[in-house]
Amino acid sequence: MNVAIETAIFWFSQILRYSMLIRALMSWIPQLRGSILDKILSFITEPFVGPVRRLIQKSPLGGGMIDFSFIVVFILIIVLTPILQSLALQIPF
Protein backbone atom coordinates (compact mmCIF):
# COMPACT_ATOMS: atom_id res chain seq x y z
CA MET A 1 0.00 0.00 0.00
CA ASN A 2 2.83 2.39 0.82
CA VAL A 3 4.40 1.89 -2.59
CA ALA A 4 1.08 2.80 -4.20
CA ILE A 5 0.98 6.06 -2.26
CA GLU A 6 4.58 6.80 -3.19
CA THR A 7 3.81 6.10 -6.85
CA ALA A 8 0.71 8.33 -6.72
CA ILE A 9 2.78 11.17 -5.26
CA PHE A 10 5.36 10.71 -8.02
CA TRP A 11 2.79 10.79 -10.83
CA PHE A 12 0.88 13.69 -9.30
CA SER A 13 4.08 15.73 -9.13
CA GLN A 14 5.02 14.78 -12.69
CA ILE A 15 1.62 15.78 -14.06
CA LEU A 16 1.73 19.04 -12.14
CA ARG A 17 5.28 19.88 -13.26
CA TYR A 18 4.61 19.13 -16.93
CA SER A 19 1.31 21.03 -16.81
CA MET A 20 3.10 24.05 -15.36
CA LEU A 21 5.87 23.82 -17.96
CA ILE A 22 3.43 23.57 -20.87
CA ARG A 23 1.33 26.42 -19.47
CA ALA A 24 4.41 28.62 -19.10
CA LEU A 25 5.51 27.90 -22.67
CA MET A 26 1.97 28.52 -23.96
CA SER A 27 1.97 31.96 -22.32
CA TRP A 28 4.52 33.05 -24.93
CA ILE A 29 2.08 32.27 -27.76
CA PRO A 30 -0.80 34.77 -27.72
CA GLN A 31 -2.99 32.63 -30.01
CA LEU A 32 -3.10 29.86 -27.39
CA ARG A 33 -4.30 32.07 -24.54
CA GLY A 34 -7.88 31.21 -23.69
CA SER A 35 -7.81 27.93 -25.63
CA ILE A 36 -9.31 24.79 -24.18
CA LEU A 37 -5.82 23.44 -23.41
CA ASP A 38 -5.00 26.67 -21.57
CA LYS A 39 -8.20 26.32 -19.53
CA ILE A 40 -7.42 22.70 -18.65
CA LEU A 41 -3.86 23.53 -17.62
CA SER A 42 -5.09 26.51 -15.60
CA PHE A 43 -7.58 24.24 -13.84
CA ILE A 44 -4.75 21.85 -12.90
CA THR A 45 -2.09 24.39 -11.90
CA GLU A 46 -3.91 27.42 -10.52
CA PRO A 47 -4.80 25.89 -7.13
CA PHE A 48 -1.06 25.66 -6.47
CA VAL A 49 0.21 28.74 -8.28
CA GLY A 50 -2.57 31.15 -7.28
CA PRO A 51 -1.89 31.30 -3.54
CA VAL A 52 1.85 31.68 -4.12
CA ARG A 53 1.17 34.41 -6.68
CA ARG A 54 -0.94 36.34 -4.15
CA LEU A 55 1.83 36.04 -1.54
CA ILE A 56 4.49 37.23 -3.98
CA GLN A 57 2.36 40.19 -5.11
CA LYS A 58 2.31 41.38 -1.50
CA SER A 59 6.11 41.07 -1.26
CA PRO A 60 8.76 43.40 -2.74
CA LEU A 61 9.13 40.97 -5.68
CA GLY A 62 5.53 41.46 -6.76
CA GLY A 63 4.33 43.57 -9.63
CA GLY A 64 7.14 42.75 -12.05
CA MET A 65 6.95 41.32 -15.54
CA ILE A 66 8.17 37.88 -14.47
CA ASP A 67 5.73 35.60 -12.66
CA PHE A 68 7.97 34.23 -9.92
CA SER A 69 5.11 32.14 -8.53
CA PHE A 70 5.62 29.50 -11.24
CA ILE A 71 9.32 29.26 -10.38
CA VAL A 72 8.62 29.03 -6.65
CA VAL A 73 5.96 26.33 -7.03
CA PHE A 74 8.12 24.39 -9.50
CA ILE A 75 11.04 24.37 -7.04
CA LEU A 76 8.71 23.44 -4.15
CA ILE A 77 7.42 20.47 -6.13
CA ILE A 78 10.96 19.30 -6.88
CA VAL A 79 11.97 19.63 -3.21
CA LEU A 80 8.80 18.28 -1.59
CA THR A 81 8.18 15.26 -3.84
CA PRO A 82 11.01 13.06 -2.48
CA ILE A 83 10.19 14.16 1.08
CA LEU A 84 6.54 13.18 0.68
CA GLN A 85 7.51 9.92 -1.00
CA SER A 86 9.81 8.94 1.86
CA LEU A 87 7.11 9.85 4.39
CA ALA A 88 4.60 7.72 2.47
CA LEU A 89 6.93 4.73 2.69
CA GLN A 90 7.13 5.13 6.48
CA ILE A 91 3.36 5.00 7.04
CA PRO A 92 2.64 1.85 9.05
CA PHE A 93 -0.09 -0.16 7.32
Side-chain angles (χ1 to χ4, degrees):
M1 183 67 159
N2 296 348
V3 176
I5 295 171
E6 180 207 10
T7 304
I9 291 169
F10 170 77
W11 283 110
F12 179 76
S13 70
Q14 289 294 96
I15 290 168
L16 188 57
R17 283 180 14 193
Y18 282 113
S19 296
M20 289 179 60
L21 183 62
I22 293 168
R23 185 175 172 200
L25 292 173
M26 284 178 55
S27 71
W28 295 347
I29 305 170
Q31 294 85 357
L32 295 177
R33 290 185 194 142
S35 67
I36 188 70
L37 180 58
D38 184 45
K39 291 177 184 178
I40 292 170
L41 294 175
S42 294
F43 180 77
I44 294 170
T45 60
E46 198 58 32
F48 302 95
V49 177
V52 175
R53 183 180 294 127
R54 286 189 293 278
L55 284 174
I56 289 177
Q57 285 176 349
K58 294 177 183 177
S59 75
L61 293 175
M65 292 184 63
I66 298 174
D67 188 2
F68 287 108
S69 59
F70 264 71
I71 298 167
V72 170
V73 172
F74 203 83
I75 291 171
L76 281 173
I77 293 168
I78 291 170
V79 170
L80 291 177
T81 298
I83 294 170
L84 292 174
Q85 285 177 309
S86 66
L87 288 174
L89 290 174
Q90 295 176 7
I91 297 173
F93 275 86

